[in-house]
Each structure stands twice: as structure tokens, then as C-alpha cells.
Amino acid sequence: MGRWETFSPCAGHKEPTQVSAKITPLYELHKELGGNLVDFAGYLMPLRYGSETAEHHAVRTSAGIFDISHMGEIFVTGAQAAEALDHALVGLASALEAGRARYTMIVNSEGGVLDDLIVYRLSRHGFMVVANAANAGVVAEELKKRAEGFEAAVDDQSENYALIAVQGPRAQAVLERLTDADLAGLKYYTLISGTVGGVVSFIARTGYTGEDGFELFIHSEDAVTLWKKITEAGDGELTPCGLSARDTLRLEAGMPLYGHELTADLTPYDAGLGRVVRLEKDFVGRDALAAVAESGPSRRLVGLVARGRRVPRAGYAVIGDDGSPCGVVTSGAPSPTLGKPIAMAYVGIGSTPVAVDIRGKQEPVDVVDLPFYRRTDK
């Protein structure tokens, strides 16, 4: 999840004429760094600091630091916290060991995705659910409703936490200069409690870039201190990165974006993520998803690589080999790593995409397996 929602920088945007968005604890620091601030999911966030392409390459080759404090942190605690989450989510939270994390989803009664989430098990009776910013309120309210009848409390602590991501092949080396925590022994999708630069933190080996990296959950008042210590420790190796680079990184890695590849009108099976659904247990939306699993989805998510230089953008029609529309692009951008325009799109089962209609002209594309990019050190 990590993970974004509703707004794709690569799809284009307009600067807000009125500022009504929230700010993160790092807002003033972003201004000092010359960040181009935009309204994203109700928060003023940096789109870029300089060149978004340079920021992208920094994460692929060295390390980048991101403010993702807009994400929601919702704590579920109590003797039946695990059972409540099993009922609320498509995954099996009760199977997690303390210190482990799992990618999952919360769906409505029809099986449509309300949000994709990461659930961290902090202790026997304690969990942290990380939701996308635009959906955090909805997720918190749904969890409260679905926890009724269980000995479990749901507490939305999003306003009290900041979240900093350090991503890239040099991320571990940078953070090791600031902590005695065993980062080398921290496996993917695990979490420990420790101090980084003297700041108490949950340290998770998770991310949304396709690279190795860490996400640091800290109290809001410590955000500026920690950011500055990390950037000082990473001098020459670490680049501040904004939303644009984060979007092209996740797109290359084939990671879904809420509001694009995931919506309340789509099921996990549509997105090719049926593996996260545990139909052997009862949960909200189970019957609807069981029916989809049996019949199969009516569409599939594919990767497209443009043969030319024009970029397939979200909302553009995908054209099949019979010359008629067979689907729609959900995300698209120039790929700094591949040097070609790429896109993800939903197309009908059995259709053969051959082009994308870009402003009235059919531009040829090739269908490829996702992800577009996979790091070689896995």
C-alpha cells in the first residue's frame, strides 16, 4: 500500500485556486525545499521539488525520501481484535504473527473495493490498519460498524501520526547510520519498534515504489526532526521526492492506485488480486466475491506499452483487434526507466488490445505482463 488514491499526478492536474486542504507536519519544510505543493486527497502535498524524472531515477538507483503523512493509521485493539478484522476485511488478520504485515482490502456487501490496506499486527491483541488518505474516514467508520459485537475497539489516530518513506537500493545503508535496529534482518512486510535518529518509530519494510525500502511511523511532532536527520545522513545519496515520482514508480511496479485500478465498482478479482481474498472464512462481502470467483470476472487488468511517444492517459479508450473499443486505460505515464509510455488498463475477457485512442488517433500498443519493472536483487 501503500498506495495512493483518487488523484494521479501523471494524468495532469490544475493548481487549486482556493486552499482548503489539510497540511502534514512537514508542510513548512516542503515550502523551504521549494516543493510544488498541490491538493492531493485533501492534503497539500509536494508534487515535485525539481525534476520528477530525476527524483524517479534517484529511487531506482540510490534512495529517495517521501512524506506520506496523509495516510491513515487506525488502531484495532482488544481480546477479539483479530476476529473483528477477519470479519471486516477480505484477508485473514488472525493468521498474522506479531511484527508481520499483510496487504488486504475492505469491500462492500457487493464485493466492491472500498480501499486497499496494509494491516500490521503489533501484539497479540493489537493491530494497525493503514488506509489511503481519501478513504481513511470511511475505513475507520466501517471498521467501527463491523467491530460491533466483538470485544474490540477502533481508534483512528491518523492526526497524531506522521509517515516518512525511505525507498531505494541505498535506503537501508542510509537508515543504518541512524539506528541500531537490525534492518538487515527485517524481512519484507515486517515491522519492529525502534529509534531512528533518536526518534521512537515503528520501522516497517514496506513501500510503494517497487524498490527495497522502509516506512517510518512516528508521532507528528517528531516529523521535522526525523526528516532532517535522515536527509543529513543521506547526503549525496538521498533525494526528496514528490507525488509525481511516486506515481511513475508505482506504475512501473504494476501497483494499483485507488480510484484508478481499484474502485467500489471493481472487485479484487477484476484487479487480478483474488489471491488476497480468503473465502474459507465469513466476512462482509464474502458471498458476492464467492460468486465472482466461481463465474470469473468480466474484465482483466493488463499492461500496455506504447510503440510511439504519445502517452495513453487514464480514461482513454482501448481498441481491440476488431477496431472497436474493448476497455479503458486506468493509469498511464511516460516510464523513465523503460524510456517508453506505459499504461494499465481494464479490457474485456477474450479481447485483444492493439491500440489506444489518443485524442482521436489510434496509437498502437503492445500488451505485456505486469509489472513493467522488477528489481533484480529480489
Side-chain angles (χ1 to χ4, degrees):
M1 166 193 95
R3 300 155 288 91
W4 294 357
E5 62 292 309
T6 68
F7 164 79
S8 175
C10 295
H13 75 283
K14 294 182 179 179
E15 298 289 344
T17 55
Q18 292 183 336
V19 176
S20 58
K22 298 179 182 179
I23 60 174
T24 78
L26 293 162
Y27 171 73
E28 293 296 335
L29 188 146
H30 296 318
K31 290 201 298 182
E32 292 174 14
L33 293 174
N36 178 11
L37 298 168
V38 299
D39 187 340
F40 170 68
Y43 285 81
L44 280 178
M45 301 291 291
L47 185 65
R48 67 180 70 84
Y49 298 91
S51 163
E52 58 200 59
T53 302
E55 292 171 15
H56 179 109
H57 286 309
V59 176
R60 289 280 181 254
T61 61
S62 187
I65 183 170
F66 300 83
D67 176 16
I68 51 174
S69 302
H70 58 305
M71 304 292 281
E73 292 83 18
I74 303 160
F75 290 81
V76 183
T77 57
Q80 291 186 308
E83 290 86 347
L85 286 173
D86 282 351
H87 171 67
L89 309 177
V90 302
L92 201 59
S94 59
L96 281 173
E97 298 178 1
R100 300 304 297 263
R102 180 162 293 165
Y103 176 77
T104 188
M105 297 181 188
I106 184 168
V107 301
N108 57 30
S109 58
E110 291 77 38
V113 180
L114 296 176
D115 202 13
D116 61 334
L117 314 162
I118 296 182
V119 175
Y120 299 87
R121 189 163 198 165
L122 306 178
S123 63
R124 182 180 179 186
H125 298 310
F127 296 81
M128 178 173 63
V129 178
V130 178
N132 289 300
N135 300 330
V138 171
V139 171
E141 288 306 309
E142 280 297 319
L143 289 178
K144 289 176 183 177
K145 291 178 184 177
R146 299 180 190 191
E148 292 177 1
F150 293 91
E151 191 177 334
V154 177
D155 186 14
D156 186 355
Q157 287 286 320
S158 303
E159 296 298 322
N160 298 322
Y161 275 82
L163 183 52
I164 294 173
V166 184
Q167 302 282 301
R170 296 295 296 165
Q172 179 177 314
V174 169
L175 291 181
E176 282 179 335
R177 297 166 191 158
L178 295 170
T179 183
D180 293 329
D182 181 17
L183 299 186
L186 191 62
K187 296 180 180 179
Y188 189 50
Y189 264 62
T190 60
L191 168 143
I192 56 175
S193 180
T195 59
V196 181
V199 174
V200 176
S201 174
F202 286 131
I203 307 167
R205 196 164 210 146
T206 46
Y208 191 53
T209 63
E211 296 296 336
D212 187 21
F214 302 85
E215 294 179 327
L216 309 174
F217 297 84
I218 54 176
H219 290 297
S220 297
E221 60 266 26
D222 295 325
V224 172
T225 296
L226 183 57
W227 179 287
K228 289 182 176 179
K229 288 188 176 182
I230 294 172
T231 53
E232 182 179 353
D235 185 34
E237 296 182 279
L238 187 77
T239 301
C241 299
L243 296 174
S244 285
R246 192 166 174 82
D247 196 44
T248 52
L249 289 161
R250 72 90 194 168
L251 178 56
E252 288 184 349
M255 295 178 172
L257 169 67
Y258 195 85
H260 291 250
E261 289 72 44
L262 299 172
T263 72
D265 295 321
L266 296 165
T267 73
Y269 293 100
D270 293 316
L273 294 169
R275 65 184 181 275
V276 308
V277 180
R278 300 294 294 268
L279 292 174
E280 71 272 21
K281 60 151 182 129
D282 184 37
F283 61 90
V284 176
R286 184 217 173 268
D287 291 345
L289 290 182
V292 176
E294 183 176 354
S295 64
S298 61
R299 60 203 135 192
R300 61 192 174 104
L301 187 65
V302 300
L304 304 175
V305 177
R307 295 181 185 176
R309 301 184 65 179
R310 301 185 76 191
V311 180
R313 298 289 188 183
Y316 288 4
V318 179
I319 307 301
D321 58 357
D322 62 355
S324 62
C326 67
V328 63
V329 173
T330 54
S331 297
S335 166
T337 303
L338 278 63
K340 301 176 181 179
I342 60 174
M344 287 195 283
Y346 277 109
V347 299
I349 297 295
S351 64
T352 303
V354 296
V356 172
D357 187 329
I358 301 180
R359 298 179 181 176
K361 184 178 179 181
Q362 294 189 10
E363 299 288 346
V365 295
D366 294 312
V367 180
V368 300
D369 292 334
L370 294 171
F372 301 98
Y373 165 88
R374 192 188 304 273
R375 78 176 198 262
T376 58
D377 62 337
K378 279 191 174 181

